[in-house]
Amino acid sequence: MSAKRRRVAVERVAGERELLVAAGINAVGIGMFIPFTLVFFHHVTGLSFASVGMVLTVTGLAGLALMPLAGVAVDRFGAKPVVLVLYAIRTLGFLLYPLATSLPAFAAVTLFTALADRSFSLVQQSLIGEVARGGARDRLQASLRALQNAGMGAGAMIVSGVLALWGADGFSWTAWANALAFAAAGLLVSRVRPVRGLAAAPERAAGRPAAGYRMVLRDRPFLGLTAANFLTALGYSALSVLFPLYIATWLRGPDSLTGAAFTLNTVLCAGAGVLIASRVRRSGARRTRSAALGALLFAAAFTGQIALGTVRPGSTGLLIALMAIVVVYTVGELVHSPSGGALSVSAAPEAVRGRYLATYQLSYSLAGALAPSLFTALLDVDGRLPWAVLAVAALGAAAALVRLERHLPAEAVHAEPPVPATAAAPAAVAA
């Protein structure tokens, strides 16, 4: 067997197909209601848009506050059982939504479901840490992201077709279809087998972890990694929050440009994500430097937006320039995301991985919560100002990642352990 084939065999993950198919089904379920959240729940429950918005905001914050408990649960019981519980909660929640027509009932079901939705990402990241090691973690990160984008796009298309056929009545059927999707995904994940030795930390086997969040707060390199990710996460929020406002208010462009930007980003993420991540992984680049490169590409895209907002070309030039910027932005996303995700998973000690990733995930949640108010305030001053802030933040993240490199565990920085110089000496002598 060739070295290349041996390497591929080593990276293969038991139950990988089930994990990836489950992620795709999960993304389809999310895509069936995320683009139409307010309208979706308004029609399902019969409540006003204001009531629905208030409930979603309050329950979302409550779910965010309980994320640390999800980290504790992962460390105590392992990621796979917690993932299955979260799928069960989401399944039951969407089964009950069409029946929750009063405000108290809707609030109760939404709070119940939000507890699972907010914690799902960190628990899934922990599961990747339990089922894969080395370069396989980077590959799984890239595959999951590609499936997430493809699945969400497919889900949005499905619900559009359902609504075209059945009108508002289709929302109830969509809620039940979501429940079916989450149940199917959970059944598939139940067949995944964590790698022996990665999921059974001594503290968990004893029934209680020996270290808690105090250990996370004392880990200055990991907190630095989390802070750097917060700076990059602001850039991830730009496409959904800042792009539409910037195009409409500063560039005076048509709303169709926003749709074109989203479509191009989704297609590139789904079609090129695995390929780009594979090229990065095969290059042997350190995860810190790959993630830093992604942040630098973000900075380049944001600088391009400043230039575009200064020149303000005509409609044809605006379309071409904006699409070019979206391509650079998306490549940055595809380079950063797998490396950054695998870096956080691998930098977390196995015994308290759940707590570490709960802390890391807060960087995304906090950036998403602050982005709307921050971007709109800066946009009111000058349309180019938010892009300047984002460019500086991305450059700061890149510099921090490179600086943190020597302080993070070697197994986190390198997808594959570096070959010691002494190991190559005998071969050289024999030659």
Side-chain angles (χ1 to χ4, degrees):
M1 182 184 289
S2 68
K4 182 176 181 181
R5 289 184 179 179
R6 283 198 303 270
R7 183 181 182 90
V8 171
V10 169
E11 288 189 349
R12 202 38 73 181
V13 173
E16 178 176 336
R17 181 180 302 174
E18 289 81 359
L19 182 64
L20 293 177
V21 173
I25 294 174
N26 174 70
V28 170
I30 294 173
M32 284 195 289
F33 79 95
I34 282 291
F36 312 96
T37 301
L38 286 174
V39 179
F40 181 97
F41 289 123
H42 166 72
H43 283 289
V44 167
T45 65
L47 298 172
S48 68
F49 287 113
S51 297
V52 171
M54 177 192 68
V55 169
L56 291 176
T57 298
V58 173
T59 57
L61 291 173
L64 185 64
L66 289 175
M67 280 175 56
L69 294 181
V72 174
V74 168
D75 294 334
R76 180 64 61 87
F77 305 109
K80 179 182 169 181
V82 180
V83 166
L84 296 178
V85 170
L86 297 186
Y87 271 127
I89 291 174
R90 297 161 98 193
T91 299
L92 182 58
F94 276 90
L95 282 174
L96 294 176
Y97 270 128
L99 308 178
T101 54
S102 67
L103 181 58
F106 174 62
V109 175
T110 303
L111 177 60
F112 180 68
T113 309
L115 301 181
D117 286 338
R118 291 290 181 176
S119 299
F120 185 82
S121 180
L122 79 91
V123 179
Q124 181 164 267
Q125 291 291 311
S126 299
L127 182 61
I128 291 174
E130 290 187 1
V131 302
R133 67 180 94 202
R137 287 177 178 171
D138 304 69
R139 180 168 50 78
L140 274 179
Q141 293 277 357
S143 299
L144 288 171
R145 188 162 189 85
L147 284 168
Q148 179 181 353
N149 282 275
M152 289 183 67
M157 292 178 61
I158 290 173
V159 73
S160 297
V162 168
L163 296 179
L165 288 174
W166 289 294
D169 292 338
F171 281 109
S172 292
W173 290 105
T174 302
W176 289 323
N178 282 342
L180 180 62
F182 294 139
L187 288 174
L188 285 167
V189 171
S190 68
R191 301 175 62 184
V192 174
R193 295 292 178 264
V195 178
R196 185 175 299 176
L198 292 186
E203 291 83 356
R204 189 181 302 144
R208 57 181 182 83
Y213 278 104
R214 285 180 296 177
M215 179 178 177
V216 184
L217 297 177
R218 289 196 300 265
D219 192 335
R220 296 180 64 182
F222 190 85
L223 293 181
L225 182 64
T226 303
N229 191 69
F230 169 76
L231 297 177
T232 312
L234 286 172
Y236 276 92
S237 300
L239 186 63
S240 59
V241 179
L242 183 54
F243 264 71
L245 294 174
Y246 181 67
I247 291 171
T249 61
W250 186 259
L251 297 179
R252 305 293 182 187
D255 292 336
S256 59
L257 283 179
T258 298
F262 273 90
T263 301
L264 180 59
N265 174 263
T266 301
V267 170
L268 287 176
C269 285
V274 175
L275 175 62
I276 291 176
S278 176
R279 292 291 178 88
V280 171
R281 192 173 70 254
R282 289 176 183 175
S283 72
R286 300 173 186 181
R287 287 170 174 151
T288 43
R289 300 188 184 186
S290 300
L293 175 59
L296 289 176
L297 289 170
F298 268 12
F302 301 149
T303 303
Q305 290 284 28
I306 296 172
L308 184 60
T310 301
V311 176
R312 295 187 183 183
S315 57
T316 302
L318 178 61
L319 175 62
I320 295 173
L322 187 62
M323 293 302 104
I325 289 171
V326 171
V327 170
V328 175
Y329 173 89
T330 305
V331 173
E333 179 181 347
L334 297 178
V335 171
H336 175 273
S337 180
S339 298
L343 182 62
S344 66
V345 172
S346 301
E350 293 177 20
V352 284
R353 183 181 286 134
R355 289 171 170 87
Y356 266 69
L357 293 182
T359 303
Y360 187 82
Q361 189 63 33
L362 284 174
S363 63
Y364 280 112
S365 300
L366 183 60
L370 292 178
S373 58
L374 175 64
F375 293 160
T376 52
L378 295 173
L379 198 63
D380 284 341
V381 178
D382 188 291
R384 295 161 294 187
L385 185 57
W387 298 113
V389 171
L390 286 174
V392 171
L395 291 173
L401 285 165
V402 174
R403 186 176 180 85
L404 285 166
E405 186 174 282
R406 62 180 179 270
H407 301 292
L408 292 168
E411 61 271 20
V413 173
H414 300 274
E416 299 295 340
V419 179
T422 55
V429 172

